Amino acid sequence: MTTPLVPGRISPQRSVPSHIVRPEYVGKKYPVEGVLGDVQDAETIERLRVAGRIAAQALEEVGKHVEPGVTTDELDRIGHEFLLDHGAYPSTLGYKGYPKSLCSSLNEVICHGIPDDTALSDGDIVNIDITAYKDGVHGDTNATFLSGNVSEENRLLVERTREATMRAIKACRPGRQINVIGRVIESYAKRFGYGVVRDFTGHGVGPEFHSGLIIPHYDDPRATTVMEPGMTFTIEPMITLGGVEYDLWEDGWTAVTADRKWTAQFEHTLVITESGAEILTLP
């Protein structure tokens, strides 16, 4: 059993050149959300493809540097610079005061881990969640990466979390209710005795970082919104080796499993098409 994580030192906020357009919420306490709807027109979807591709490429680039000894702050620097080099703003930077350009959630961190001077160890797993804001829209994606020689139990957790995500995407099509997503994820995860986190969800995304649409990853009978062509949202299940209760660190962001069992996550932004769903966050 590894030692539970403790917060590290957070470096000063990274700067963004003035020519890169910022989302409206930067510098404000709260974003404007839930007013622009969940169904996008063809032109907005095309812009989302571009932002999604940049985010996916940034995620890929950060993932190449995941290895024992690298700090999560260094991974943040790599992601930050990649987004800037491609004319995109890191959506998390300044969102409700969040201080970094991606989330790095290590081992028992469910989500929203803040990059700091913590170095990865051999056998760790780390989720990198990165969002690109470009031409007025957000492309949001994440993946869990392996650091060095990861145990079979944790490697399988990561592999199966990816599989659960892809199965849920395949279940999406017009006319189906949102709750099919959680039903598919939870039934698959239960085969292995895993927990599916309930308190953090997928969300509508587009011109708004979070549009107000909620995507549960468990079978929630209340999630009766019907999918329709042009609807854009994320699927991003957080699956644990143990329970789904969590504790929040004093930073107000970092959520860790209450039992300190490890957890993995994957995420794509997708658009509902006439016949299914298209993933917008592919490199």
Side-chain angles (χ1 to χ4, degrees), residues 6-8 10 96-99 109 111-116 247-256:
V6 293
I10 298 173
K96 296 183 179 177
Y98 187 82
V109 180
C111 59
H112 305 154
I114 301 174
D116 59 20
D247 298 323
L248 201 61
W249 281 4
E250 279 183 17
D251 60 31
W253 287 101
T254 308
V256 296

Side-chain angles (χ1 to χ4, degrees), residues 123 125 146 150-159 241 262 264:
I125 63 174
L146 311 180
V150 173
S151 73
E152 181 75 350
E153 180 183 46
N154 291 316
R155 189 186 62 73
L156 284 171
L157 172 70
V158 172
E159 202 173 280
L241 288 172
W262 287 17

Side-chain angles (χ1 to χ4, degrees), residues 178-190:
I178 291 292
N179 56 23
V180 71
I181 295 166
R183 198 175 314 131
V184 166
I185 291 167
E186 190 167 50
S187 65
Y188 181 70
K190 271 184 173 167

Side-chain angles (χ1 to χ4, degrees), residues 47-64 75 78-92 101-103 128-134 137-143 145 205 209 234 267-270 279-283:
R47 284 188 283 135
L48 273 165
R49 273 193 198 97
V50 175
R53 190 179 310 123
I54 292 169
Q57 291 168 348
L59 182 65
E60 203 172 54
E61 184 60 30
V62 174
K64 287 176 190 166
L75 298 176
I78 293 162
H80 178 87
E81 290 183 1
F82 187 95
L83 291 178
L84 299 192
D85 287 346
H86 290 77
Y89 183 90
S91 298
T92 58
S101 300
L102 53 75
C103 300
I128 301 296
D129 192 335
I130 193 161
T131 307
Y133 179 74
K134 171 101 170 155
V137 295
H138 301 268
D140 189 0
T141 188
N142 75 51
F145 298 96
V205 66
F209 195 178
T234 72
E267 173 185 21
H268 279 300
T269 296
L270 52 127
I279 298 173
L280 297 173
T281 40
L282 293 175

Side-chain angles (χ1 to χ4, degrees), residues 193-196 239-244 259 261-262:
Y194 296 155
V196 179
I239 295 180
T240 75
L241 288 172
V244 300
D259 58 14
K261 294 278 181 70
W262 287 17

Side-chain angles (χ1 to χ4, degrees), residues 25-77:
Y25 51 74
V26 175
K28 297 181 189 169
K29 201 168 182 184
Y30 299 108
V32 176
E33 290 180 333
V35 295
L36 296 177
D38 303 304
V39 178
Q40 316 301 337
D41 60 25
E43 185 269 337
T44 306
I45 292 165
E46 190 47 50
R47 284 188 283 135
L48 273 165
R49 273 193 198 97
V50 175
R53 190 179 310 123
I54 292 169
Q57 291 168 348
L59 182 65
E60 203 172 54
E61 184 60 30
V62 174
K64 287 176 190 166
H65 294 83
V66 169
E67 61 182 8
V70 73
T71 64
T72 54
D73 188 61
E74 172 63 8
L75 298 176
D76 181 76
R77 183 194 66 76

